Amino acid sequence: MANIYDAMVAALREHWDAHAGASPRRFELTQKAFNALTDARKAVMSVGSYCPPPGWEEVFHGIPVSVVEGADCHVVDTNGQRASLGIAPLYWDADGRQDRRHTPKSQGS
């Protein structure tokens, strides 16, 4: 799912800018977000003959990724502060496809 991947890349870049190039401690993802990220990364890797090393799922651009309980995903900075990745919850439709639901803006806003 591009949503989670893009949010994680943006958070990583923001962290580097704010902390003189230092990497965050870790990413904390819900199980659904972790699964979506892993599925998206597998799809990209399947295009070529790339064979990832064991444990690749638990690292994103060199940053550890952990699955946590809760309804939100976070980046944990070098000081231990958690910041939301700001992604919408994931849902699945009747056919098992991922769907990012949102409330459309009302007219005139």
Side-chain angles (χ1 to χ4, degrees):
M1 147 185 168
N3 172 323
I4 184 68
Y5 187 93
D6 292 345
M8 291 172 74
V9 168
L12 188 54
R13 288 179 178 159
E14 289 173 14
H15 190 278
W16 287 334
D17 288 345
H19 295 90
S23 294
R25 289 186 183 183
R26 70 183 168 278
F27 287 102
E28 297 177 340
L29 305 179
T30 63
Q31 185 66 57
K32 287 182 180 181
F34 179 81
N35 293 346
L37 176 66
T38 302
D39 290 346
R41 293 171 75 191
K42 281 181 187 176
V44 170
M45 288 186 280
S46 70
V47 172
S49 58
Y50 179 72
C51 183
W56 67 269
E57 304 94 337
E58 298 161 1
V59 179
F60 183 81
H61 294 286
I63 311 304
V65 177
S66 58
V67 176
V68 296
E69 296 292 323
D72 199 8
C73 300
H74 297 91
V75 60
V76 180
D77 73 11
T78 56
N79 301 318
Q81 299 295 315
R82 296 168 74 219
S84 174
L85 290 177
I87 59 169
L90 297 177
Y91 300 91
W92 278 261
D93 66 14
D95 295 324
R97 293 180 297 225
Q98 291 174 348
D99 177 23
R100 182 172 172 223
R101 298 181 186 183
H102 58 89
T103 303
K105 291 182 181 179
S106 61
Q107 290 186 344
S109 48

